[in-house]
Amino acid sequence: MHFDLVDLRLFLHVAEAGSITAGAEHAGLSLASASARVRGMEEQAGASLLERGHRGVELTPAGRTLLHHARLVTGQMERMRGELGEYARGLKGHVRLLANTAAAAEFLPEMLAAFLAANPSVDVDLDERPSPEVARAVAEGLAEIGIAADHADFSGLVAMPFRTDRLMLVVPRGHKLANRGRVAFVEALGSEFVGLSGDSALGGHLEEHAARTGALVRTRIRVRGLDAACRMVALGAGVAVIPEAAARRWTGEGALSLVQLEDPWAERRLMVIVQRLDTLPSHARRLAEHLAAA
């Protein structure tokens, strides 16, 4: 039985995404090539590794066994790359980093740029996920490092302080809530919203909190990115809930008002999370320490 590293990394991506199509995209393979590789792995294993359905794929018992070993093998390879990278120029180390919307959009760009400039032998794969998914992926070994809000389950993980993130309601000037100092999220739900695209971690987070109130988020338009959401609000398309750092970039334009959300969940502590620092590859450990120390 022979599985190469491309096979194993592909299988990890497919297992995480729950889709061969999405797994192929993350692995940098065409769908046809990825499908052929999965079939080849199943032929070599002599068993089905995936249950295919209309909504994606699920792991069979044999697939879960392969996933376990794929994590061990790829993790060991990353540790080897990290250690050898200290001696061999040009040998790239790779770190998978998952983060929620606020961290990915507001805090990480400058920090990662500085790290990459200082560490030319390290590549970083950054992906946005809701905080509970970030924590789960790190716990399951699908990512070396995560940045998540502290409402997620960090059981069994090392969590290091990163930033405080406050969610704010942004409304057009002249809106009925514009002069309010503080409002509850349920009161804001009486307005029409500018939402973030369906795969946005923040968008899913807000919809969960709306559902808990028994109300719905009435979304007029979905856009990709926090700046686009602020622009649409400034033009009168609706209101939005976004991280304070993104909102304050727009207040100087004079077309937005910021209103504080009084709900406890609107202020979140962001944490850098790993399984264990001492078992990370050296390049991944450097990144985790860089993020926690900044």
Side-chain angles (χ1 to χ4, degrees):
M1 188 179 300
H2 173 73
F3 298 149
D4 63 26
L5 286 174
V6 175
D7 288 336
L8 296 180
R9 288 197 178 100
L10 168 65
F11 196 76
L12 286 172
H13 287 306
V14 170
E16 182 190 23
S19 162
I20 295 177
T21 301
E25 181 179 349
H26 283 114
L29 298 172
S30 68
L31 178 57
S33 175
S35 297
R37 282 183 174 273
V38 171
R39 287 194 300 271
M41 284 188 280
E42 290 180 319
E43 289 172 1
Q44 291 189 64
S48 295
L49 301 173
L50 302 171
E51 291 283 353
R52 282 107 170 140
H54 294 300
R55 296 190 175 183
V57 297
E58 293 184 1
L59 298 179
T60 65
R64 288 192 291 272
T65 298
L66 176 59
L67 178 63
H68 169 72
H69 289 285
R71 287 172 181 157
L72 293 177
V73 171
T74 56
Q76 185 61 41
M77 289 299 297
E78 287 301 325
R79 283 189 287 276
M80 181 190 74
R81 282 194 177 93
E83 292 170 7
L84 290 179
E86 302 293 333
Y87 308 101
R89 294 184 61 186
L91 185 60
K92 287 280 190 177
H94 178 269
V95 185
R96 181 159 172 75
L97 169 64
L98 301 183
N100 71 353
T101 300
E106 293 303 312
F107 302 121
L108 285 177
E110 291 79 7
M111 299 176 70
L112 289 179
F115 177 83
L116 292 172
N119 294 268
S121 64
V122 182
D123 290 339
V124 177
D125 179 10
L126 172 63
D127 203 0
E128 181 185 325
R129 292 282 191 278
S131 290
E133 288 187 24
V134 172
R136 189 160 51 248
V138 173
E140 293 177 356
L142 296 174
E144 289 90 354
I145 306 171
I147 299 181
D150 59 358
H151 63 78
D153 181 6
F154 295 158
S155 300
L157 299 174
V158 175
M160 299 169 283
F162 179 65
R163 291 286 188 277
T164 297
D165 169 46
R166 183 179 292 106
L167 295 176
M168 303 287 287
L169 178 71
V170 292
V171 302
R173 290 289 173 89
H175 188 275
K176 62 182 180 181
L177 298 177
N179 294 321
R180 296 279 298 277
R182 297 164 59 91
V183 298
F185 181 55
V186 67
E187 186 175 356
L189 291 173
S191 301
E192 294 178 319
F193 270 70
V194 174
L196 297 176
S197 57
D199 59 352
S200 160
L202 177 57
H205 182 63
L206 295 177
E207 288 177 359
E208 287 179 9
H209 283 289
R212 290 172 187 166
T213 71
L216 295 174
V217 179
R218 293 186 294 146
T219 304
R220 295 199 66 195
I221 186 171
R222 294 186 185 275
V223 297
R224 185 170 292 278
L226 300 174
D227 285 340
C230 286
R231 186 176 298 115
M232 294 298 292
V233 172
L235 294 172
V239 306
V241 173
I242 63 173
E244 183 177 17
R248 294 213 177 275
R249 287 200 301 271
W250 279 83
T251 54
E253 301 291 328
L256 289 180
S257 293
L258 272 63
V259 183
Q260 186 172 343
L261 289 172
E262 62 186 27
D263 306 77
W265 54 261
E267 183 164 315
R268 310 174 295 175
R269 290 191 307 153
L270 302 184
M271 312 293 285
V272 178
I273 54 175
V274 299
Q275 285 190 350
R276 288 176 54 182
L277 276 172
D278 59 357
T279 60
L280 283 176
S282 60
H283 55 280
R285 185 169 61 252
R286 286 201 305 274
L287 176 57
E289 291 170 346
H290 170 77
L291 295 175

